[in-house]
Amino acid sequence: MSRTSEGRLPVIVRERERLTDDIVRLTLGPADGAPLPAWTPGAHIDLVLGPCALVRQYSLCGDPRDRTSWRVAVLREAGGRGGSVFVHDQVREGLVLEASSPRNHFELETAGRYVFIAGGIGVTPIVPMLAAADAAGAAWSLTYGARGRDALAFAGEAATYGDRVRLHAHDESGPIDLPAALGEPDPTALVYCCGPEPLLAAVEDHLALTPGWSPRQLRTERFAPRSDALDRPSTPFEVELRRTGVRVQVAADQSVLEAVRAAGVVVESSCAEGTCGTCETAVLGGRVDHRDAILDDDERAANDVMFLCVSRAADGELVLDL
């Protein structure tokens, strides 16, 4: 498959479906007819949108076995940064876009049981997980909520799984009942949650405070930066680029990504807010102040990778594999 100089590949919009008033689903195919890169449930791609080349991330919600097409669903966010509005107002069948290869920081791991909790458009990475868990014969349940029944874009697909799925309309019954969604504490279970930040925070708190559950059982994917990282003070520090021996000063108001790029080092990036994982870099020395929305507690404690767009040094200096 041919790629651009940035490593992206051309895809053509084969189908555009309106699922709700503010959600459209795009079916994308390879512009040159070659098989698309493989992916696994939980993966997302970057799409380059509009004349300003906005780069946005969307979870794949189709069938991983299908190498001829990808599917993404896009929520219109009028107060967003412009990508979703472009998709809703400008993207039509036949348009050729640029996409990245799939990346996955939300892998479906092996577990004795799965508890899936999805809020709104956060159901998209979970849809292919249901099929995978079902095909594996695993025990699982899904609680899928949205502001109203007309906003449950994937209700029809989810309902095919019968009573393992609970559909929840907030305007009818308020927030999701987490004790009911999670069931009895189960040390063999993994909890997969994707959706707005208040839902993710509520699930984290519930697992932390309920005997028999542990936050280590939770797997999340966030669409926005973690709120607890936004208010931390930032101070200057130094980064050593081990491959070249160059030392780079990072100012208090500058990201590591910006600093190393200013020093002439090419680093691929996309979201610039610690949610997509594109700028992941190996850490060879120093302690990281992790500010991303990707790594779990164990991965942060390992201190072997960081995301240059948001994370910083915890105590003065970092050594990076650049």
Side-chain angles (χ1 to χ4, degrees), residues 84-104:
S84 68
V85 172
F86 178 82
V87 170
H88 279 252
D89 292 351
Q90 304 296 329
V91 171
R92 296 292 181 267
E93 293 174 5
L95 180 66
V96 175
L97 302 170
E98 289 184 3
S100 71
S101 290
R103 293 188 298 274
N104 200 341

Side-chain angles (χ1 to χ4, degrees), residues 109 189-191 207 213-219 296-299 301:
E109 304 170 30
L190 287 179
V191 180
L207 294 181
W213 284 114
S214 166
R216 294 184 181 276
Q217 294 174 258
L218 178 62
R219 306 291 183 268
D296 61 28
D297 289 343
D298 289 339
E299 292 167 329

Side-chain angles (χ1 to χ4, degrees), residues 11 26 42 44 53 81 88 98 111 138 144 158 164 173 176 194-195 211 216 222-223 232 252 264 278 291 304:
V11 293
L26 304 179
H44 68 267
R81 297 176 294 165
H88 279 252
E98 289 184 3
Y144 170 29
R164 283 180 289 182
S173 50
I176 289 174
C194 187
R216 294 184 181 276
R222 283 175 157 85
F223 299 139
R232 295 185 204 168
T278 308
R291 302 187 181 192
D304 55 1

